[in-house]
């Protein structure tokens, strides 16, 4: 099967020509029609050759395609192509094997949302698609995604998503881990982010100059508020570019140097700690160099490697980790 960007245009054009009872199409005519359709769609003259169409026709005739039945009528030296049944069309056919596999992949992606409230319709649509297109999955599970379906606060995702989409100000009653009573926060919501299987809302609160970060599992209730929505021009892809996790301290980007045990090098290479990661080999030692803002999530990640890592720079990060390690050792 041809996988280039014009394949679908060619298949649909060939289908239209094969079922046209008012005209005969030889291979040269089919090439011309396909090139015309590609030009109408792209505005570019990117001509295809006969060999490409012969490959397309073979695919359409195959089980991986649509099992089309063509009659090839010879007239002198020319051969004209038509469907055996003029009422046939690939648009009216069940999915071919390739399309079925693509739909299975899409259903697998949808499965990730099954645990979220107000997404129960996914179970229904999966059942209907499996029935209609004979896409029944194997009974045994062959892949799973890491997620916490029972996390408190997931029920707020649809409400928060719609508030972001339609620029609605919210009054959120929020109880942090450090307070006994919930407080009300008026916020213009901007962005939802998942980290370490927890969800976080980012937005502008009237009480603070900087962006606020609220964990969904600490939200008590949400109500709409009639205050004016505060717009933002923040690109959140760039906003999180210089950190690990979701906490952005009021600090500058640091050059972080970490010495790592040789046994970790393959793991660190295949699963970088951050996009800025660079590895330097110094004899039998290896160093990781990172350019980012140190935060609590970075500290926790480093500590997760135990005795196999040693932070060398910056000194303030070294001291923070040293104090945490001392407190940890005092527990044992």
């Amino acid at each position: 099967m041809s996988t280039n960007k014009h394949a679908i245009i060619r298949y649909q054009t060939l289908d239209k020509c094969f079922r046209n009872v008012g005209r005969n199409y030889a291979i040269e005519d089919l090439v011309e029609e396909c090139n015309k359709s590609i030009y109408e769609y792209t505005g570019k003259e990117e001509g295809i050759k006969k060999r490409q169409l012969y490959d397309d026709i073979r695919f359409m005739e195959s089980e991986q395609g649509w099992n089309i039945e063509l009659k090839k009528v010879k007239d002198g030296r020319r051969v004209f192509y038509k469907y055996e049944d003029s009422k046939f069309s690939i648009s009216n056919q069940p999915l071919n094997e390739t399309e079925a596999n693509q739909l299975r992949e899409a259903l697998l992606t949808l499965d990730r949302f099954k645990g979220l409230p107000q997404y129960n319709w996914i179970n229904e649509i999966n059942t209907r698609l499996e029935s209609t297109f004979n896409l029944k999955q194997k009974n045994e599970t062959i892949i799973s995604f890491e997620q916490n379906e029972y996390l408190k606060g997931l029920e707020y995702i649809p409400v928060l998503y719609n508030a972001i989409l339609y620029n609605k100000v919210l009054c959120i009653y929020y109880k942090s881990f450090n307070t006994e009573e919930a407080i009300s926060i008026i916020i213009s919501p901007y962005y939802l982010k998942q980290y370490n299987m927890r969800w976080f809302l980012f937005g502008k609160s009237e009480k603070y100059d900087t962006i606020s970060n609220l964990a969904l599992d600490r939200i008590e209730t949400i109500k709409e508020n009639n205050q004016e929505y505060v717009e933002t021009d923040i690109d959140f892809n760039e906003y999180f570019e210089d950190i690990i996790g979701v906490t952005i301290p009021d600090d500058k980007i640091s050059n972080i140097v970490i010495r790592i045990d040789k046994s970790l090098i393959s793991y660190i290479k295949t699963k970088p700690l951050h996009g800025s990661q660079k590895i330097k080999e110094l004899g039998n030692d290896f160093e990781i160099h990172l350019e980012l803002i140190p935060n609590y999530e970075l500290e926790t990640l480093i500590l997760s490697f135990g005795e196999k890592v040693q932070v060398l720079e910056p000194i303030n990060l070294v001291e923070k980790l040293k104090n945490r390690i001392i407190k940890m050792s005092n527990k044992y």
Side-chain angles (χ1 to χ4, degrees), residues 180-279:
E180 295 184 2
E181 299 293 330
I183 61 172
S184 64
I185 300 174
I186 307 298
I187 191 169
S188 298
Y190 299 145
Y191 193 76
L192 284 164
K193 180 177 175 66
Q194 186 186 36
Y195 176 73
N196 197 23
M197 293 193 292
R198 295 179 71 203
W199 283 91
F200 299 86
L201 172 70
F202 293 82
K204 182 67 177 65
S205 169
E206 59 180 6
K207 295 182 179 179
Y208 306 101
D209 294 331
T210 57
I211 295 295
S212 294
N213 170 4
L214 305 179
L216 267 61
D217 55 320
R218 307 311 301 162
I219 293 176
E220 299 287 320
T221 58
I222 298 176
K223 296 179 181 178
E224 286 191 23
N225 187 278
N226 58 8
Q227 292 190 24
E228 184 177 355
Y229 186 86
V230 179
E231 300 278 356
T232 184
D233 57 359
I234 293 175
D235 182 335
F236 280 92
N237 288 323
E238 293 182 2
Y239 185 78
F240 294 107
E241 188 174 1
D242 299 321
I243 65 163
I244 289 174
V246 295
T247 306
I248 303 183
D250 187 14
D251 207 343
K252 296 182 178 179
I253 296 175
S254 298
N255 178 31
I256 297 165
V257 182
I258 307 172
R259 180 179 295 151
I260 64 171
D261 190 279
K262 189 175 182 179
S263 62
L264 274 181
I265 188 63
S266 296
Y267 180 86
I268 297 296
K269 282 183 177 179
T270 55
K271 187 183 178 184
L273 303 186
H274 184 259
S276 64
Q277 173 176 302
K278 294 180 180 178
I279 298 177

